[in-house]
Amino acid sequence: MQVGSRRAIVNPVSGGGGHADYARRLLEARGFRVLETEGPEDGVELALEAGRDDVSELAVVGGDGTVNEVLRGLSAADHLDQVTLSVVPAGTANILARQIGVVGMEQGIEIADTGDVRTVDLGMADGQPFAVSCIAGFPAEASVAATSDLKARFGTLAFLVTGAQEALEFEPLSIDLELATDHGDERWSGEALCVLVGNARKFVEQGGQADLEDGLFDVAVVEQMPTSNLVAEAVQHRLLGSGSENVTHFQAARVTVSDADGEPIAFSRDGELSEHERLALDVSSGALDLRVGAGYTPHPV
């Protein structure tokens, strides 16, 4: 093994902190050089450095936001297709880790050392990578604020429990969607509370693992509805069900989200917040080699 070819980026404050020293000991025992972030965007810089150093194995100890920073750094270094990434869950929700069958720090570090490797898709939002999802509209900021307990209980729908008061005041968006699906180009226009675009999660009922290797996003458009219905259906895990008359589902390789009135829309890309009047989302098929756990299903039903 090339000296320095194994590296780990540890966010010591993810999920409340307290794990950095333990993670360092376990990782160093398996031949990883361990670096810690010290503040926001440090994961981008450390991953950029890893790419420039031609690191072949990179473990990320943190949550989905830390993984997103690392992906952005690797992308900036043009190194995404030359590294094998491992995710060691230490964040609040750890959505990506759960989707790929990684539960707990010890298991995550073992998988980083010897786990199976799958080649998976990434999403690209105007050229910026994301692994899990990109959310447009009302839940963008609320989803970031949701507590770990709510995320554990309600998963995808935690934003509605957190943001019930905001939902009472939220003005629906006038959305235009352009989608490239297996059936050809499709369009959707109308008033919506949000658009949910999943790469590693599918927005149906209680959610679940999307197919990370099919070259498609799972898309759900939540249309305007009475707020009482919105929150009640969310709490009962019915809102995103395939039979809901207020939700439209698509599978698409490309989604362009824009506001018909030219107003900025709030987006949360794996927790990274931004505003755009128009945002193009593309699937980058087979963009990343990722170590996965035994619970990972390559092509879930």
Side-chain angles (χ1 to χ4, degrees):
M1 180 187 303
Q2 179 185 352
V3 175
S5 65
R6 281 191 154 190
R7 194 170 296 185
I9 296 173
V10 177
N11 184 340
V13 299
S14 287
H19 55 266
D21 290 343
Y22 182 54
R24 176 183 291 275
R25 289 197 300 272
L26 294 179
L27 286 161
E28 288 180 343
R30 294 176 182 264
F32 287 84
R33 178 189 172 200
V34 179
L35 301 174
E36 293 185 17
T37 62
E38 296 180 356
E41 300 297 296
D42 276 5
V44 177
E45 294 303 317
L46 291 175
L48 184 60
E49 179 184 320
R52 289 171 177 165
D53 291 344
D54 202 26
V55 168
S56 60
E57 294 270 354
L58 185 60
V60 185
V61 182
D64 297 308
T66 306
V67 174
N68 180 263
E69 287 191 8
V70 168
L71 290 174
R72 286 189 280 133
L74 292 172
S75 179
D78 197 22
H79 198 64
L80 279 170
D81 61 349
Q82 301 171 57
V83 69
T84 297
L85 194 75
S86 303
V87 179
V88 180
T92 301
N94 303 309
I95 295 171
L96 178 60
R98 287 190 282 110
Q99 300 300 299
I100 61 173
V102 182
V103 182
M105 183 170 296
E106 293 85 354
Q107 186 206 26
I109 292 173
E110 180 180 352
I111 289 169
D113 186 22
T114 62
D116 291 339
V117 178
R118 300 290 303 191
T119 300
V120 302
D121 304 334
L122 289 176
M124 302 297 289
D126 277 357
Q128 291 295 316
F130 63 94
V132 179
S133 62
C134 186
I135 300 173
F138 157 64
E141 293 191 30
S143 67
V144 176
T147 67
S148 57
D149 178 62
L150 284 175
K151 288 178 181 178
R153 291 170 58 201
F154 298 114
T156 299
L157 307 177
F159 64 82
L160 289 173
V161 181
T162 301
Q165 182 58 44
E166 288 87 343
L168 293 172
E169 304 170 357
F170 184 79
E171 292 292 330
L173 303 170
S174 296
I175 291 287
D176 284 331
L177 290 184
E178 301 171 41
L179 307 105
T181 75
D182 285 344
H183 309 295
D185 293 339
E186 297 188 33
R187 300 199 67 163
W188 187 95
S189 298
E191 289 194 337
L193 288 174
C194 56
V195 180
L196 312 172
V197 180
N199 179 56
R201 69 194 301 185
K202 55 184 177 181
F203 295 104
V204 178
E205 297 174 347
Q206 296 184 35
Q209 181 194 319
D211 191 331
L212 270 166
E213 303 176 28
D214 66 351
L216 296 170
F217 290 129
D218 286 274
V219 183
V221 183
V222 181
E223 301 171 29
Q224 173 69 346
M225 70 182 82
T227 303
S228 58
N229 294 357
L230 173 75
V231 176
E233 288 197 16
V235 171
Q236 296 177 51
H237 288 205
R238 295 187 310 196
L239 174 62
L240 299 179
S242 56
S244 174
E245 63 182 19
N246 298 111
V247 180
T248 303
H249 294 275
F250 300 95
Q251 282 195 316
R254 178 180 174 87
V255 183
T256 301
V257 185
S258 57
D259 187 279
D261 301 322
E263 297 294 326
I265 301 171
F267 289 84
S268 172
R269 190 183 67 252
D270 288 356
E272 178 73 15
L273 296 174
S274 60
E275 287 192 344
H276 307 268
E277 293 179 13
R278 177 183 176 90
L279 187 64
L281 308 168
D282 294 274
V283 176
S284 182
S285 297
L288 180 69
D289 286 342
L290 185 65
R291 290 198 181 272
V292 300
Y296 173 73
T297 303
H299 299 289
V301 177

